[in-house]
Amino acid sequence: MRRRLVLPAVLAAAALVGGAAAGPKAMPPEERLISAPGYRAAPAYAENGQENADARWLDAGTVPGAGTPWEDMAHWALVDIRSHLEANGTVSAGPGGPWGYFWPRDGSFAAVALSRSGHASDAAAVLDRLARLEFDPAVGFQARYALDGSALTDRPRQSDGCGWVLWAIAQVRRDAGGGVPPSSDELRDRCVRTLTRLVDGGDRLPPPSPDYWEVRVTRTSLGTVAPMLAGLAAAGRDYAATGDVAASARTRTTAARLAGTVVREMGPGYQRFGDAGGLDASVAMLLPPFTAEGDLPAPVVKAVRAAVVRYQREAAQPAGGVAPGVLWVKKGGASWTPQTALLALTDAASGRDRAAGARLDWLSAHRTAYGSIPEKVTRSGAPAGPAPLVWTASLVVLTLAELEGSP
């Protein structure tokens, strides 16, 4: 708090030197918390039987982080994922409104979190729904879909979707394979073919496409190509795990070539557009658990880690989290939980347990009164934006599983 109290005085002094009127800069109002009406409100949550149903579902699997200070957060994160999982396998991103849709990215992370916590049939339902979505072989998935699975065409397609889906299939299969439905093999083939064409066998960056920023771009972003690299590398290993040696060799070759292209076109700074755009959270997508040892040369991994450190510093927000990118840092000073949790996951997967734990502490301390993790935390530390946010909930579950030494 001392730093935040001193800062306005420093600004005021600078204003006086320049001849401007003294006084703190005006700040916009802090964002409010958004949730579905009555979500998990007492006593209805217990009286309508939902509390018992959630408890039985949790007992059928495991809660990563059980016995740690983060057990309660993991408990509610899993309940939040389940609460947003439809019977047809779609997963809404958050509490209705603009978040009441199914994103392939969010669904992929939810599938892995469900699998990692012992809910293989639910993971299989999500992957099977992904396999049945409308799909353009030239580009891949739509940005998002309605909860009945129908395509929405109000936004450009996002070619990073196939990367996340390939990574998810491989991750779920590693958990034992029970969460991978038969339809995932054909989905894997389609996504590998699409990505291979988009990157010309790995020799070029894919065409520009929106990424997790959800904005149109005119240059290829790291947020688009990093998930593609992660997905192709994962698919190469997944083909080997299922006995398709020829497909594994082809896909590994594509991934290796694409890794070289990423280094050439996005290094050495690994900004959003390589040499411009500032650092953003996508640089963490080049680290474990999205890449494995050997996917990138050791000197490149070192450079990526240095870029992640710079991103954390330059995108740091007043409440203690980060903004999605250094050029996303806005006057209101909100911290974003998905990107903060993404850093926690890469820390945990890279053996940086203390750093991951510190981020988990922060996320846990800024939950809502009903235990959910919101999308944002205001500059004063209050939960804001949609809550729960399924992507963040999934990232927290995966982080805790990594800390436990899950595969």
Side-chain angles (χ1 to χ4, degrees), residues 40 43-58 75-76 79 82:
R40 213 156 58 221
Y45 178 59
E47 292 175 351
N48 66 12
Q50 189 59 51
E51 184 175 21
N52 287 334
D54 287 340
R56 289 192 299 270
W57 180 81
L58 288 169
H75 172 108
W76 292 119
V79 169
R82 180 182 188 239

Short mmCIF file of all heavy atoms in Angstrom, two decimals, residues 40 43-58 75-76 79 82:
data_model
loop_
_atom_site.label_atom_id
_atom_site.label_comp_id
_atom_site.label_asym_id
_atom_site.label_seq_id
_atom_site.Cartn_x
_atom_site.Cartn_y
_atom_site.Cartn_z
N ARG A 40 -24.79 -20.24 -6.86
CA ARG A 40 -24.31 -20.91 -5.66
C ARG A 40 -24.68 -20.16 -4.37
O ARG A 40 -23.93 -20.16 -3.39
CB ARG A 40 -22.80 -21.13 -5.74
CG ARG A 40 -22.39 -22.41 -5.04
CD ARG A 40 -21.11 -22.99 -5.54
NE ARG A 40 -19.98 -22.11 -5.42
CZ ARG A 40 -19.03 -21.97 -6.36
NH1 ARG A 40 -19.12 -22.64 -7.49
NH2 ARG A 40 -18.02 -21.16 -6.17
N PRO A 43 -29.52 -20.24 0.93
CA PRO A 43 -29.48 -21.69 1.14
C PRO A 43 -29.89 -22.52 -0.09
O PRO A 43 -29.95 -23.73 -0.01
CB PRO A 43 -30.48 -21.87 2.27
CG PRO A 43 -31.53 -20.83 1.98
CD PRO A 43 -30.78 -19.64 1.42
N ALA A 44 -30.18 -21.85 -1.19
CA ALA A 44 -30.71 -22.58 -2.35
C ALA A 44 -29.74 -23.65 -2.84
O ALA A 44 -30.16 -24.73 -3.26
CB ALA A 44 -31.04 -21.60 -3.47
N TYR A 45 -28.46 -23.35 -2.79
CA TYR A 45 -27.45 -24.30 -3.30
C TYR A 45 -27.57 -25.64 -2.58
O TYR A 45 -27.42 -26.70 -3.20
CB TYR A 45 -26.06 -23.71 -3.12
CG TYR A 45 -24.93 -24.60 -3.57
CD1 TYR A 45 -24.84 -25.05 -4.89
CD2 TYR A 45 -23.94 -24.99 -2.68
CE1 TYR A 45 -23.79 -25.87 -5.30
CE2 TYR A 45 -22.88 -25.80 -3.09
CZ TYR A 45 -22.81 -26.24 -4.39
OH TYR A 45 -21.78 -27.05 -4.79
N ALA A 46 -27.85 -25.61 -1.28
CA ALA A 46 -28.01 -26.85 -0.53
C ALA A 46 -29.41 -27.42 -0.69
O ALA A 46 -29.58 -28.64 -0.88
CB ALA A 46 -27.70 -26.61 0.95
N GLU A 47 -30.40 -26.56 -0.66
CA GLU A 47 -31.78 -27.04 -0.65
C GLU A 47 -32.21 -27.67 -1.96
O GLU A 47 -33.05 -28.56 -1.98
CB GLU A 47 -32.71 -25.87 -0.29
CG GLU A 47 -32.55 -25.41 1.16
CD GLU A 47 -33.38 -24.19 1.46
OE1 GLU A 47 -33.96 -23.60 0.51
OE2 GLU A 47 -33.48 -23.81 2.65
N ASN A 48 -31.65 -27.21 -3.08
CA ASN A 48 -32.07 -27.79 -4.36
C ASN A 48 -31.28 -29.04 -4.73
O ASN A 48 -31.44 -29.58 -5.83
CB ASN A 48 -31.98 -26.75 -5.49
CG ASN A 48 -30.54 -26.30 -5.78
OD1 ASN A 48 -29.57 -26.91 -5.32
ND2 ASN A 48 -30.40 -25.23 -6.55
N GLY A 49 -30.43 -29.49 -3.84
CA GLY A 49 -29.70 -30.74 -4.07
C GLY A 49 -28.41 -30.59 -4.84
O GLY A 49 -27.67 -31.57 -5.01
N GLN A 50 -28.10 -29.38 -5.31
CA GLN A 50 -26.91 -29.21 -6.13
C GLN A 50 -25.64 -29.43 -5.32
O GLN A 50 -24.65 -29.97 -5.82
CB GLN A 50 -26.90 -27.82 -6.75
CG GLN A 50 -25.82 -27.62 -7.80
CD GLN A 50 -25.93 -28.61 -8.95
OE1 GLN A 50 -27.01 -28.76 -9.54
NE2 GLN A 50 -24.85 -29.30 -9.28
N GLU A 51 -25.63 -29.00 -4.07
CA GLU A 51 -24.44 -29.17 -3.24
C GLU A 51 -24.08 -30.64 -3.09
O GLU A 51 -22.92 -31.04 -3.22
CB GLU A 51 -24.66 -28.54 -1.87
CG GLU A 51 -23.42 -28.59 -0.98
CD GLU A 51 -23.62 -27.85 0.33
OE1 GLU A 51 -24.80 -27.64 0.72
OE2 GLU A 51 -22.62 -27.47 0.94
N ASN A 52 -25.10 -31.49 -2.84
CA ASN A 52 -24.85 -32.93 -2.71
C ASN A 52 -24.40 -33.54 -4.03
O ASN A 52 -23.52 -34.41 -4.06
CB ASN A 52 -26.10 -33.65 -2.20
CG ASN A 52 -26.37 -33.37 -0.73
OD1 ASN A 52 -25.45 -33.06 0.03
ND2 ASN A 52 -27.63 -33.47 -0.32
N ALA A 53 -25.00 -33.09 -5.13
CA ALA A 53 -24.62 -33.61 -6.44
C ALA A 53 -23.17 -33.26 -6.76
O ALA A 53 -22.40 -34.10 -7.27
CB ALA A 53 -25.55 -33.06 -7.52
N ASP A 54 -22.77 -32.03 -6.45
CA ASP A 54 -21.38 -31.63 -6.68
C ASP A 54 -20.42 -32.43 -5.80
O ASP A 54 -19.34 -32.83 -6.25
CB ASP A 54 -21.22 -30.13 -6.40
CG ASP A 54 -21.84 -29.26 -7.48
OD1 ASP A 54 -22.06 -29.76 -8.60
OD2 ASP A 54 -22.10 -28.07 -7.20
N ALA A 55 -20.83 -32.67 -4.56
CA ALA A 55 -19.96 -33.43 -3.65
C ALA A 55 -19.78 -34.86 -4.15
O ALA A 55 -18.66 -35.40 -4.09
CB ALA A 55 -20.57 -33.43 -2.25
N ARG A 56 -20.84 -35.47 -4.64
CA ARG A 56 -20.71 -36.85 -5.17
C ARG A 56 -19.80 -36.86 -6.39
O ARG A 56 -18.99 -37.79 -6.56
CB ARG A 56 -22.10 -37.40 -5.52
CG ARG A 56 -22.96 -37.72 -4.32
CD ARG A 56 -24.18 -38.53 -4.72
NE ARG A 56 -25.03 -37.82 -5.67
CZ ARG A 56 -26.04 -37.01 -5.31
NH1 ARG A 56 -26.28 -36.81 -4.02
NH2 ARG A 56 -26.78 -36.41 -6.21
N TRP A 57 -19.95 -35.85 -7.23
CA TRP A 57 -19.10 -35.78 -8.43
C TRP A 57 -17.63 -35.60 -8.04
O TRP A 57 -16.75 -36.26 -8.59
CB TRP A 57 -19.57 -34.62 -9.30
CG TRP A 57 -18.79 -34.43 -10.57
CD1 TRP A 57 -18.93 -35.12 -11.73
CD2 TRP A 57 -17.75 -33.46 -10.79
NE1 TRP A 57 -18.05 -34.65 -12.69
CE2 TRP A 57 -17.31 -33.63 -12.14
CE3 TRP A 57 -17.17 -32.47 -10.02
CZ2 TRP A 57 -16.30 -32.85 -12.70
CZ3 TRP A 57 -16.16 -31.69 -10.57
CH2 TRP A 57 -15.74 -31.89 -11.89
N LEU A 58 -17.35 -34.74 -7.10
CA LEU A 58 -15.97 -34.55 -6.65
C LEU A 58 -15.42 -35.83 -6.04
O LEU A 58 -14.25 -36.19 -6.28
CB LEU A 58 -15.90 -33.41 -5.62
CG LEU A 58 -16.10 -31.99 -6.15
CD1 LEU A 58 -16.28 -31.02 -4.99
CD2 LEU A 58 -14.92 -31.56 -7.02
N HIS A 75 -11.36 -27.04 -5.05
CA HIS A 75 -12.71 -27.59 -4.90
C HIS A 75 -13.71 -26.78 -5.73
O HIS A 75 -14.45 -27.33 -6.55
CB HIS A 75 -13.08 -27.56 -3.41
CG HIS A 75 -14.51 -27.92 -3.11
ND1 HIS A 75 -14.86 -29.10 -2.52
CD2 HIS A 75 -15.67 -27.24 -3.32
CE1 HIS A 75 -16.19 -29.14 -2.37
NE2 HIS A 75 -16.69 -28.02 -2.84
N TRP A 76 -13.69 -25.46 -5.52
CA TRP A 76 -14.67 -24.64 -6.21
C TRP A 76 -14.33 -24.44 -7.68
O TRP A 76 -15.23 -24.28 -8.51
CB TRP A 76 -14.84 -23.29 -5.50
CG TRP A 76 -15.47 -23.44 -4.16
CD1 TRP A 76 -14.93 -23.10 -2.95
CD2 TRP A 76 -16.76 -23.98 -3.87
NE1 TRP A 76 -15.80 -23.38 -1.94
CE2 TRP A 76 -16.94 -23.93 -2.46
CE3 TRP A 76 -17.79 -24.51 -4.65
CZ2 TRP A 76 -18.09 -24.40 -1.84
CZ3 TRP A 76 -18.94 -24.97 -4.03
CH2 TRP A 76 -19.09 -24.91 -2.64
N VAL A 79 -15.88 -27.44 -9.27
CA VAL A 79 -17.34 -27.28 -9.29
C VAL A 79 -17.75 -26.27 -10.35
O VAL A 79 -18.75 -26.47 -11.07
CB VAL A 79 -17.85 -26.85 -7.89
CG1 VAL A 79 -19.32 -26.42 -7.96
CG2 VAL A 79 -17.68 -27.99 -6.89
N ARG A 82 -17.57 -27.92 -13.74
CA ARG A 82 -18.72 -28.82 -13.91
C ARG A 82 -20.02 -28.05 -14.13
O ARG A 82 -20.86 -28.43 -14.95
CB ARG A 82 -18.86 -29.71 -12.68
CG ARG A 82 -20.03 -30.69 -12.80
CD ARG A 82 -20.21 -31.53 -11.55
NE ARG A 82 -21.21 -32.56 -11.79
CZ ARG A 82 -22.33 -32.69 -11.08
NH1 ARG A 82 -22.61 -31.85 -10.09
NH2 ARG A 82 -23.18 -33.66 -11.35
#
